[in-house]
Amino acid sequence: MNLWHRTQAEYVASAGASGGANIVGAIAGPKNKLDDFIRSAVDSGKDSWKDALAVIVTYMDSAEFVGAATALGQRLVERENHNAALICFICACNTRLITTVWLRGKPASGNNAAALQSRTDRLVSLVAKVRIVTAAASLANGEGNISSIRALDDVTASVLFEYGAILATHGDIAAAAAYLN
């Protein structure tokens, strides 16, 4: 171990277990310290997942970024912190997991007109969100055409297909065809 790493280790050890020292240790230390910091941030049960996401966004290279943000989000889902997980999945441009989190909401039950309208309204809202996220993911990948309707994964495809089927049953065949392709 060279002088720089020894000095870092001594500083972090002498700073104690404060949040700032943990973050500095995760950033400046070896890779396993960063992984431990991210894991412990979720396990702490507080809002320290935000610190972990900030470290991921700021200090991870592009090859590791998507996987780390997704892994953080998945750990947050396991802890039933769906809103925090959603932020992590959005940062990772993971449309499949974003849509999965949005689908977790309890749909209206029953076959009466009010329940069917509620499910339709929820689907319309979900399709709008999915379209925005897929457009953002397309832009992030350097694609210029964001107006086309397409799914980036199987979960968003099923949502868009269901919406297209509803448009077809209401007689809007041209719009339905765009969603059913």
Side-chain angles (χ1 to χ4, degrees), residues 119-148:
R119 281 197 298 265
T120 301
D121 290 346
R122 186 170 176 266
L123 181 63
V124 168
S125 175
L126 180 60
V127 166
K129 292 174 188 174
V130 166
R131 293 281 316 272
I132 290 169
V133 170
T134 55
S138 295
L139 285 174
N141 290 331
E143 299 172 24
N145 182 10
I146 60 169
S147 62
S148 66

Side-chain angles (χ1 to χ4, degrees), residues 94-180:
N94 191 324
T95 58
R96 183 178 202 287
L97 291 174
I98 292 167
T99 307
T100 301
V101 169
W102 279 330
L103 285 170
R104 286 186 179 269
K106 185 177 181 186
S109 60
N111 287 326
N112 61 24
L116 292 174
Q117 185 61 46
S118 175
R119 281 197 298 265
T120 301
D121 290 346
R122 186 170 176 266
L123 181 63
V124 168
S125 175
L126 180 60
V127 166
K129 292 174 188 174
V130 166
R131 293 281 316 272
I132 290 169
V133 170
T134 55
S138 295
L139 285 174
N141 290 331
E143 299 172 24
N145 182 10
I146 60 169
S147 62
S148 66
I149 300 168
R150 64 189 174 96
L152 300 178
D153 55 74
D154 58 331
V155 176
T156 56
S158 69
V159 169
L160 295 176
F161 184 83
E162 184 179 352
Y163 184 67
I166 288 174
L167 290 173
T169 62
H170 284 76
D172 195 350
I173 303 302
Y179 284 92
L180 295 172

